[in-house]
């Protein structure tokens, strides 16, 4: 299993300057290659005998001129420009496959800088990471996983530096085993972070709402500062720190939930939420991005993988909320607007909490899915 461990770094001033320079070089190389790509691609479209650009040719072209034109690039690890162009190649691949937007130029941003190192360009020594032309940088904790180290991405969030180290590991033994409370259905909601088919409702942290007024105040203050002034810089730092804090709170509540679920249940049924469709709805969007559904599913799947648990994702058209879960009923209502939190089944008369009814159906879906995957018995087809 390939997993990343993001570790906070404790660089001294000189090292922080180097990290910022390497990240700046990566951004410059990315933008340089994107501009070249656009020019060369247009030339190729005009005249097919011209070469079509790719990340490999662009890396070669940059290598040929950097000593002459950008000598400052040599002051940092050669990985910084190289990996940036490889990442641009991946961005174009995703664009041509229809998975992503056309790559955009990276803006100079003190809060989102990063560069990537391949495993031959750094090493980990207990509590320190060794980076070329820099030496040893202290890490706030040791790497949690053993195995083959693949790469490291060094990034900045507000005024803090991190190294996200990717490892191919077989080592899941630090995790306590699953308690095996059987199967659970989990419904991700807007009013509660999650509802479980056991009847539990997990409220979750909604940092955005709680800190929103502070966020607004800081943004307003920032907009009044003169561009390029020291005060503006200070206000920017404050705002970046607040954004980082909000992201941490959100990440923490998701980790608690996904750890708890994979610790307790062997089979976990969840919905395949069409989040991109829902985010277009302005009223829902803030609550949904606060909750981080994609991140929830990502965490759940990798943690389940480590403990040998199974995540069953229901089909997008599985009507978990609209189907009565009462045994032997299974009546499906036509419409159930989000505002309706409780409904009564017109066939069997059962009164349903919208979210709990959905989780019961997801639990049933997960059970029948795993049974049929095991080559099991003659189950009723799912509605
Ligand atoms: Zn019913």
């Amino acid at each position: 299993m390939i997993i990343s461990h993001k570790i906070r770094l404790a660089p001294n001033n000189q090292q922080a300057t180097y990290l910022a320079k390497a990240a700046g070089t990566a951004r410059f190389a990315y933008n340089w290659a994107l501009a070249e790509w656009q020019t060369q691609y247009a030339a190729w479209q005009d005249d097919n005998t011209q070469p079509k650009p790719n990340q490999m040719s662009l890396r070669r072209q940059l290598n040929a001129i950097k000593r002459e034109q950008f000598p400052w690039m040599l002051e940092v690890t050669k990985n910084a420009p190289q990996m940036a162009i490889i990442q641009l190649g991946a961005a174009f691949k995703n664009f041509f496959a229809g998975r992503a937007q056309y790559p955009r130029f990276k803006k100079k941003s003190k809060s989102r800088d990063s560069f990537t190192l391949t495993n031959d360009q750094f090493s980990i020594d207990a509590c320190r990471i060794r980076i070329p032309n820099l030496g040893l940088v202290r890490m706030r904790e040791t790497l949690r996983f053993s195995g083959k180290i693949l790469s490291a991405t060094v990034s900045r969030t507000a005024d803090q530096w991190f190294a996200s180290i990717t490892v191919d590991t077989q080592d899941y033994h630090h995790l306590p085993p699953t308690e095996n409370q059987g199967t659970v259905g989990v419904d991700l909601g807007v009013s509660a972070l999650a509802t479980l088919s056991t009847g539990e409702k997990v409220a979750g942290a909604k940092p955005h709402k709680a800190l929103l007024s502070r966020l607004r105040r800081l943004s307003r203050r920032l907009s009044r500062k003169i561009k390029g002034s020291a005060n503006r810089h200070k206000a920017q730092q404050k705002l970046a720190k607040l954004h980082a804090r909000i992201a941490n709170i959100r990440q923490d509540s998701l980790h608690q939930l996904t750890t708890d679920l994979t610790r307790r249940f062997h089979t976990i049924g969840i919905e395949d939420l069409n989040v991109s469709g829902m985010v277009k709805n302005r009223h829902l969007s803030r609550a949904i991005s606060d909750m981080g559904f994609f991140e929830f599913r990502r965490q759940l799947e990798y943690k389940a993988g480590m403990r040998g648990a199974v995540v069953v994702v229901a089909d997008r058209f599985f009507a978990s909320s609209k189907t009565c879960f009462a045994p032997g009923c299974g009546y499906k209502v036509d419409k159930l607007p989000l505002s309706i939190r409780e409904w009564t089944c017109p066939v069997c008369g059962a009164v349903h909490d919208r979210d709990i009814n959905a989780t019961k159906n997801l639990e049933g879906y997960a059970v029948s899915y795993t049974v049929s995957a095991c080559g099991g018995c003659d189950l009723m087809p799912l509605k």
Side-chain angles (χ1 to χ4, degrees), residues 24-309:
T25 303
R27 183 185 59 242
F28 179 89
Y30 187 95
N31 289 343
W32 175 87
L34 178 52
E36 279 297 315
W37 187 300
Q38 289 173 346
T39 314
Q40 295 178 20
Y41 196 82
W44 170 80
Q45 278 180 318
D46 285 345
D47 172 6
N48 267 333
T49 60
Q50 297 286 324
K52 198 173 166 183
N54 62 54
Q55 56 90 1
M56 215 141 57
S57 67
L58 288 168
R59 272 192 293 150
R60 262 201 305 272
Q61 289 162 30
L62 181 61
N63 273 338
I65 61 163
K66 75 176 177 191
R67 202 166 288 274
E68 279 281 307
Q69 294 190 24
F70 317 118
W72 43 266
M73 276 193 174
L74 305 173
E75 289 169 26
V76 297
T77 165
K78 65 181 181 185
N79 261 176
Q82 270 178 359
M83 293 303 287
I85 298 177
I86 289 175
Q87 282 156 0
L88 177 69
F92 268 113
K93 204 172 165 190
N94 285 335
F95 166 70
F96 287 120
R99 287 188 296 263
Q101 302 254 313
Y102 189 85
R104 275 186 289 189
F105 288 97
K106 284 184 197 269
K107 274 189 208 151
K108 190 171 180 179
S109 148
K110 289 226 162 78
S111 56
R112 272 194 299 262
D113 278 345
S114 73
F115 64 95
T116 300
L117 297 162
T118 50
N119 60 5
D120 57 328
Q121 289 294 310
F122 73 97
S123 57
I124 304 284
D125 157 31
C127 246
R128 291 176 299 180
I129 179 169
R130 182 186 292 278
I131 297 174
N133 309 355
L134 176 62
L136 292 163
V137 180
R138 214 155 56 79
M139 304 193 298
R140 292 282 180 108
E141 54 182 315
T142 52
L143 184 61
R144 206 179 291 158
F145 306 100
S146 65
K148 186 176 162 54
I149 292 173
L150 302 176
S151 65
T153 294
V154 178
S155 65
R156 168 157 59 185
T157 303
D159 54 353
Q160 298 174 354
W161 285 96
F162 298 88
S164 181
I165 300 161
T166 305
V167 188
D168 189 356
T169 185
Q170 298 296 322
D171 158 35
Y172 321 139
H173 304 299
H174 62 286
L175 289 174
T178 304
E179 286 170 21
N180 201 359
Q181 296 181 19
T183 305
V184 69
V186 185
D187 181 52
L188 301 170
V190 175
S191 54
L193 172 59
T195 305
L196 315 190
S197 55
T198 55
E200 293 160 76
K201 293 211 173 200
V202 184
K206 278 197 198 169
H208 222 119
K209 244 181 201 164
L211 297 174
L212 201 60
S213 57
R214 231 190 117 200
L215 204 60
R216 281 211 198 96
R217 203 168 57 237
L218 286 182
S219 320
R220 219 167 31 233
R221 261 186 219 164
L222 176 65
S223 68
R224 281 200 296 260
K225 302 279 187 280
I226 299 156
K227 274 194 182 163
S229 69
N231 278 336
R232 187 181 171 88
H233 177 71
K234 259 189 241 164
Q236 265 167 341
Q237 295 280 52
K238 259 190 192 165
L239 191 62
K241 267 189 195 172
L242 183 60
H243 274 296
R245 200 177 136 209
I246 288 167
N248 284 344
I249 293 169
R250 182 162 60 212
Q251 193 76 352
D252 186 52
S253 69
L254 279 180
H255 271 299
Q256 283 183 25
L257 174 65
T258 52
T259 296
D260 181 58
L261 288 172
T262 52
R263 183 175 285 164
R264 287 167 57 193
F265 302 98
H266 185 266
T267 305
I268 303 157
I270 60 169
E271 220 154 1
D272 178 11
L273 262 165
N274 183 4
V275 176
S276 58
M278 287 175 87
V279 171
K280 278 181 194 136
N281 179 334
R282 281 197 323 154
H283 298 292
L284 282 178
S285 59
R286 177 166 290 137
I288 286 174
S289 42
D290 265 354
M291 299 293 194
F293 283 141
F294 284 120
E295 179 59 14
F296 170 80
R297 185 171 161 184
R298 186 191 72 81
Q299 289 180 11
L300 199 62
E301 283 178 337
Y302 88 74
K303 288 180 188 178
M306 290 174 135
R307 288 197 163 102

Side-chain angles (χ1 to χ4, degrees), residues 323-332 343-350 352:
T323 309
C324 171
F325 85 86
C329 179
Y331 176 79
K332 194 174 144 189
W343 59 284
T344 307
C345 176
V347 175
C348 70
H352 296 306

